[in-house]
Amino acid sequence: SVPAIVLPAGDVPEGHGMGRLRLVQIYRLGSFVLGLLLLAAFVQAGFAVYENNRAREVLINQVGPAAVEQFRLSSALTTQDAAIRDYVRNGGDAALAEYRAAVRRESRSAATMRRLLSGVPDNDDVMRRLDKALADSQAWRTEYADRVAEGPGGARGAAADPDGSDEARRLLDRARG
């Protein structure tokens, strides 16, 4: 007689080790493990996209505009210097008005930078540099520009402070970093 292709259920030996599991059970377990790994990969990718979007939002909505304000602040300081020098050479209310407007622009730019960067992680170094720049700018104004603005301007103002220009340049260079 020809042996049976499939053993009758009663003749199948007891399994041991992995042999106790049916092939279908092994495939189900493998599918479950692969599904968990795939789910973990999707969750990790989702977190990465979320963090990337958050970083992009901070860059676009806070850091970029703060960089623009830094240029405005620097421009305001340069305008203060040019206006006060114009006042020393030529006098006139227009130069003083421009100087005072530039001081206000510097203050607004600094306040805007602080507001924009307040929620940015690890902003301590930038805030320290901003504080130093503002303190140096204030020192330049106190030691030179405000004193000149209170004076007569024109030829009489320049004659009253012949050495002030060198000291003013040193203070202004320090303010500019």
Side-chain angles (χ1 to χ4, degrees), residues 95-147:
L96 280 180
E98 182 158 356
Y99 166 71
R100 291 186 177 118
V103 171
R104 288 189 299 274
R105 281 195 306 271
E106 176 188 359
S107 180
R108 276 194 310 269
S109 289
T112 301
M113 284 179 69
R114 284 187 197 290
R115 181 182 52 76
L116 287 168
L117 296 175
S118 66
V120 175
D122 300 323
N123 67 2
D124 298 339
D125 186 48
V126 173
M127 292 302 195
R128 266 193 306 278
R129 289 173 186 241
L130 178 59
D131 290 340
K132 182 182 180 325
L134 293 174
D136 289 343
S137 174
Q138 182 61 47
W140 172 76
R141 281 195 302 273
T142 301
E143 296 296 319
Y144 177 72
D146 288 344
R147 270 190 14 234

Side-chain angles (χ1 to χ4, degrees), residues 18-32:
M18 286 292 288
R20 290 184 302 187
L21 296 175
R22 291 193 216 154
L23 191 56
V24 170
Q25 290 173 322
I26 292 173
Y27 282 141
R28 281 185 189 153
L29 180 62
S31 296
F32 179 74

Side-chain angles (χ1 to χ4, degrees), residues 27-141:
Y27 282 141
R28 281 185 189 153
L29 180 62
S31 296
F32 179 74
V33 169
L34 286 176
L36 284 178
L37 290 174
L38 187 60
L39 179 64
F42 282 143
V43 167
Q44 186 176 15
F47 280 132
V49 168
Y50 172 74
E51 288 297 323
N52 183 51
N53 286 339
R54 268 190 34 199
R56 185 176 49 97
E57 290 296 319
V58 166
L59 183 64
I60 290 171
N61 294 331
Q62 291 174 275
V63 175
V68 171
E69 285 302 322
Q70 186 273 329
F71 287 113
R72 288 183 181 141
L73 189 141
S74 179
S75 174
L77 188 58
T78 300
T79 302
Q80 289 172 50
D81 178 45
I84 207 67
R85 289 181 182 284
D86 184 37
Y87 180 70
V88 166
R89 281 191 310 278
N90 305 315
D93 291 337
L96 280 180
E98 182 158 356
Y99 166 71
R100 291 186 177 118
V103 171
R104 288 189 299 274
R105 281 195 306 271
E106 176 188 359
S107 180
R108 276 194 310 269
S109 289
T112 301
M113 284 179 69
R114 284 187 197 290
R115 181 182 52 76
L116 287 168
L117 296 175
S118 66
V120 175
D122 300 323
N123 67 2
D124 298 339
D125 186 48
V126 173
M127 292 302 195
R128 266 193 306 278
R129 289 173 186 241
L130 178 59
D131 290 340
K132 182 182 180 325
L134 293 174
D136 289 343
S137 174
Q138 182 61 47
W140 172 76
R141 281 195 302 273

